[in-house]
Amino acid sequence: MKQASLSFLLLCLSLFTNSQNDTVWIDEVRIESTKTPAVYSQTSRIVNVLNRTEIRQAAVQNISDLLEYAMNVDVRQRGYHGIQSDISVRGGTFDQVLILINGISFNDPQTGHHNSDIPIDIENIEKVEVLEGPASRIFGPNAFSGAINIITSGNKENKAKIGISGGEHHLYSLLGSVNLASKNLTNNFTVSKKGSNGYIENTDYQILNLFYSVGIKLGKQNIQIQAAYQDKGFGANSFYTPDYPNQYEATNTLFLSGKWEGGKKLKHQFSAYYKKHNDRFELFRDFAGAATWYTRHNFHQTHVYGFEGSLNLVTKVGKTALGMAYRDEKIYSTNLGFDMDEPKDIRGEDELQYTKGADRNNLSVFIDHAYYAKKFSIGGGVMANFNTSYRWEVFPGLNASYAVSKELKVFASLNKSYRIPSFTDLYYVGATNIGNAELQPETAVTIEGGVKYFTNYFAAEIAYFSRNGNDIIDWVKLNAEEKWESKNITELDTRGFEFSFFSNKKLFEKLPFINRLRVTYAYIKVKKSSGEFISKYALDYLKHKLNLNINHQIVKNLSLNWQFSFQDRAGRYTDFASSSEKNYDPFLLIDARFNWEKGNWIVYLESTNILNKNYFDIGNVTMPGRWVRAGFIFDINL
């Protein structure tokens, strides 16, 4: 303990070491998370952007850890290093946020627990955009409380890359990447493998990622193709219930997409995608120790394919986008859905078949318009959506902003959002959970307003939002002895305040050791009108989240990146040891990373949870303490 405290003190003292390097301020960032793309200063919404520089300097090894840095994003991890994470925005649930890869929908219809099975290594990510607030009018159903767009690198250099890292608990990570480019063609192929023996019993894991992307430029036309695959297996100690801690889960994901876009005044964009996800869940990892009633594992396979097309017209009166999207969702399962007329064999499993299944289709059409004047901008639109399991639904929205001065802008928006139940919500039946096939979709109306202030030195935002939700879906029960059951819990009113400040090197001319400072704070309060149900997800939101990120130079080529994160969660959980209801304890996490960069080399040493805090993101699922890692990345010019 004394050694850890001394190490921490030395790291703190290094904050006052002079710098010899500078960090270049990032110019106006182009925001892609909208049907009418714009730069940051034009947007009338809160869009949090994590750029490539921040990603490379952060003490993170995966996308889930990276999203911990984002304002008002709640990442409730089971295990660590991206094993499984429930990702939500602005106090919503993990099923209420839409995950996109290069603008293509990635959500899994089985359950939002699988939305973090993202088959892309963090080294492939160029930036991450978090669109806070409802995005149904932009992206359709399930972008209920926000959307997260993961954008991969379009590197135009001929390079190969090797990355190796290791750490405590037999952690290892291996990466190899090749990028070949010409004037009109880019190709990238990346393979990565990582794993660990785990920090406590039954928390071991292995992850394999394969990613290929190609970009083709033909005059004003651009074609993007991406293919990604992930194979993952992990010990799931108490993940879904502490009654059976020896759980195990194995998943694999195949994701394919193609996008064609081009044009000048009349721009077009057409895309198609396919996703296949396999899930094997073992309530008992070892049949020898299983209960007598447990005779088989649960198997699920989802297939999703979709098509999207849009036209974007630029005129003197602004940008107009119109288009349509079609999506087909199908599941084969051992316990989700309806009885199948013809059971389907489960590949690799003798004498086991998928006996249940479900299928639904979704069609949406939209029109959106944005007008930009010198000081004033306004945008609005509507999406109409039909799902074969439900009726037509319409999501309108309106947003506006006014530039009080060159630096100061005020903005406001009003939007309706919509979320369709997952197959797990509808059909799951297990030892501790019961689904509900009569569930109705969730709806909400959100009002928000705020102020943006941006200069050549820093950008700051303040926003307030109010989301009035109806027919909100949650897993609930009346007492600890009952099973969890999915229900529409009537009304859920969510209100929140958020603040962000992001600076560059120029702001600290008299403090030359600081390269970057980012501070974000979010406060949320939720009021329910649903009786005295015990909530499993909807009321366990982050009441307070404060992030402080500092990057500074120690000596030439050597920098240090700090991340301080304070989290205070509302809600309660049933403590397994005492069988009593307990509040979540607030906690402070401190992560740090040394980066030495010279030429084609990056060598790093990092530690997460430096203070070795004991904490829960989800009740009874123990998170790891201090974890030290080291590694390098080497670029080879071809």
Side-chain angles (χ1 to χ4, degrees), residues 40 67 74 87 100 201 210 215 298 327 330 337 358 362 365 485 537 547 568 583 591 601 631:
Y40 167 80
L67 288 172
D74 184 6
I87 302 170
L100 304 111
E201 184 180 357
L210 302 173
N298 287 339
R327 179 178 170 96
K330 189 188 305 289
N362 198 85
V365 293
E485 184 175 357
Y537 297 115
N547 276 354
D568 184 9
N583 294 322
D591 304 336
W601 285 90

Side-chain angles (χ1 to χ4, degrees), residues 320-338:
T320 303
L322 57 93
M324 64 170 292
Y326 173 81
R327 179 178 170 96
D328 181 275
E329 300 176 338
K330 189 188 305 289
I331 188 168
Y332 302 111
S333 175
T334 54
N335 69 339
L336 293 178
F338 304 102

Side-chain angles (χ1 to χ4, degrees), residues 55 59 132 153 232 256 312 369 385 468 487 495 525:
I55 294 170
E132 298 191 22
S153 175
K232 176 164 64 174
L256 307 170
N312 195 320
H369 182 78
N385 189 86
N468 297 318
K487 288 182 177 292
R495 290 171 174 79
K525 184 176 182 180

